[in-house]
């Protein structure tokens, strides 16, 4: 509709009604025409509805015998564009939620599954090793039981932030479940893995998440197991993790609070 604003301005002037422009998301706007009676409300709605190129929505309330109404008006073209943009935003948010762990904001198992395919494919094409890290919080159940689930959730969030920052630009961190996390690192060189593991350990020590009341240690610690290898086409998310699980097991067998790297 050409000159929609001019049409609304003339309509309001001819019918002696007040209106205002309301800005909507995605750069769209609509006219909100005020109505002071049912008859005015009905007249405005029926008049505007005759125009096929206009979309009309209604709102009203009556409290204490006082009527208040609004007639919201947009061109149909703008309304369709606004709703399409809104649906696309909802779709993107749903996709993010389906790929993201709600508590920590890290990628979840589903995202790890998808990313693993890309990482494996890239490694096969380039012939470059990748690294997988499996990390869990030492004696997290005791910490959770001692300090409560809210503090336990905060602990998970702090650890997730440490992992995300340590691996930034070199890979990606995921929450696999419970207090277990997975790192996918594109550069499988041992010095890169060592740098990441040491950064994680140092950053967590600086946070000093209190754990003395659990009776095991003064602050929360984590165990880290890494494997550096060239994946084959038969690899899956679970088989990637199995490589690093061996290293994690060794760390736990040797007192936890450390890291081990297996180069295959």
């Amino acid at each position: 509709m050409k000159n929609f604003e001019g049409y609304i301005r003339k309509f309001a002037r001819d019918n002696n009604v007040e209106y205002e422009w309301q800005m909507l998301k995605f750069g769209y706007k609509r006219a909100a025409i005020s109505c002071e009676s049912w008859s005015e409300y009905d007249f405005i709605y029926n008049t505007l509805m005759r125009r096929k190129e206009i979309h009309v929505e209604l709102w009203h309330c009556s409290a204490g015998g006082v009527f208040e109404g609004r007639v919201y008006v947009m061109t149909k073209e703008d309304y369709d564009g606004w709703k399409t943009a809104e649906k696309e935003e909802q779709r993107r948010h749903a996709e993010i939620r389906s790929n993201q762990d709600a508590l920590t904001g890290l990628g979840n198992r589903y995202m790890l599954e998808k990313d693993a395919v890309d990482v494996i494919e890239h490694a096969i094409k380039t012939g470059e090793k990748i690294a997988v890290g499996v990390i869990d919080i030492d004696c997290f159940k005791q910490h959770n039981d001692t300090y409560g689930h809210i503090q336990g959730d905060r602990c998970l969030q702090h650890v997730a932030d440490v992992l995300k920052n340590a691996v930034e630009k070199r890979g990606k961190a995921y929450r696999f479940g419970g207090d277990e996390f997975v790192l996918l690192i594109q550069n499988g060189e041992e010095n890169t893995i060592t740098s990441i593991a040491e950064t994680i350990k140092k950053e967590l020590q600086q946070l000093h998440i209190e754990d003395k009341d659990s009776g095991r240690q003064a602050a929360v610690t984590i165990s880290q197991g890494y494997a550096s290898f060239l994946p084959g086409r038969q690899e899956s998310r679970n088989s990637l993790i199995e490589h690093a699980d061996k290293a994690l097991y060794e760390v736990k067998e040797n007192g936890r609070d450390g890291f081990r790297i297996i180069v295959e």
Side-chain angles (χ1 to χ4, degrees):
M1 182 179 187
K2 294 181 180 179
N3 196 16
F4 178 62
E5 292 186 22
Y7 172 79
I8 293 297
R9 187 166 52 249
K10 184 176 184 302
F11 179 87
R13 184 177 61 248
D14 291 348
N15 293 281
N16 194 29
V17 293
E18 295 183 357
Y19 74 97
E20 63 179 2
W21 291 104
Q22 295 181 340
M23 295 305 301
L24 306 173
K25 291 176 70 175
F26 318 113
Y28 293 97
K29 66 179 181 180
R30 65 184 180 185
I33 302 173
S34 300
C35 307
E36 296 180 352
S37 67
W38 277 106
S39 59
E40 189 175 59
Y41 185 73
D42 187 60
F43 168 76
I44 292 172
Y45 170 72
N46 284 298
T47 301
L48 293 174
M49 280 294 291
R50 296 192 188 105
R51 300 292 300 261
K52 294 182 180 180
E53 65 270 50
I54 287 179
H55 176 83
V56 181
E57 292 184 353
L58 303 173
W59 173 89
H60 73 270
C61 73
S62 297
V66 178
F67 176 85
E68 183 180 0
R70 298 281 189 280
V71 178
Y72 298 108
V73 193
M74 300 174 69
T75 66
K76 283 195 173 178
E77 182 180 1
D78 279 358
Y79 177 79
D80 290 343
W82 176 45
K83 285 300 178 182
T84 298
E86 201 172 54
K87 288 178 181 178
E88 176 61 20
E89 182 183 60
Q90 291 169 354
R91 185 197 64 77
R92 288 197 304 268
H93 286 170
E95 184 175 7
I96 291 171
R97 286 194 297 271
S98 69
N99 293 334
Q100 192 177 69
D101 177 62
L103 178 64
T104 64
L106 299 182
N108 58 17
R109 286 185 179 218
Y110 177 66
M111 191 66 183
L112 174 59
E113 185 83 55
K114 293 199 297 185
D115 288 350
V117 173
D118 295 334
V119 169
I120 291 167
E121 194 65 34
H122 178 76
I124 291 171
K125 284 181 179 178
T126 61
E128 297 175 353
K129 285 186 174 183
I130 65 169
V132 177
V134 178
I135 297 163
D136 69 20
I137 302 172
D138 297 329
C139 303
F140 181 70
K141 184 179 185 304
Q142 290 94 313
H143 179 83
N144 213 28
D145 290 345
T146 302
Y147 291 91
H149 292 291
I150 292 177
Q151 176 56 35
D153 284 351
R154 290 198 189 103
C155 176
L156 290 168
Q157 290 168 335
H158 287 315
V159 170
D161 288 342
V162 168
L163 299 180
K164 182 180 179 181
N165 293 335
V167 80
E168 189 176 21
K169 296 181 180 178
R170 295 183 286 189
K172 198 168 179 181
Y174 309 82
R175 185 182 178 200
F176 195 67
D179 63 315
E180 189 172 35
F181 300 86
V182 173
L183 302 182
L184 276 185
I185 304 166
Q186 292 177 342
N187 181 349
E189 296 298 322
E190 189 171 359
N191 61 342
T192 299
I193 306 169
T194 301
S195 171
I196 290 171
E198 289 177 343
T199 298
I200 291 169
K201 186 176 176 69
K202 179 182 175 182
E203 292 296 321
L204 191 62
Q205 286 174 340
Q206 289 177 348
L207 277 177
H208 195 82
I209 303 170
E210 184 179 321
D211 198 35
K212 61 183 181 181
D213 290 343
S214 68
R216 199 192 70 83
Q217 56 202 7
V220 167
T221 61
I222 60 175
S223 296
Q224 309 177 60
Y226 296 89
S228 169
F229 58 98
L230 182 62
R233 291 192 180 277
Q234 76 280 3
E235 299 280 7
S236 65
R237 177 196 69 187
N238 290 337
S239 67
L240 289 178
I241 292 170
E242 286 172 3
H243 288 272
D245 264 339
K246 301 171 187 175
L248 180 65
Y249 177 78
E250 291 184 22
V251 174
K252 289 185 172 294
E253 284 293 294
N254 287 280
R256 302 183 176 89
D257 189 22
F259 65 88
R260 170 87 165 89
I261 302 169
I262 295 176
V263 179
E264 300 179 5

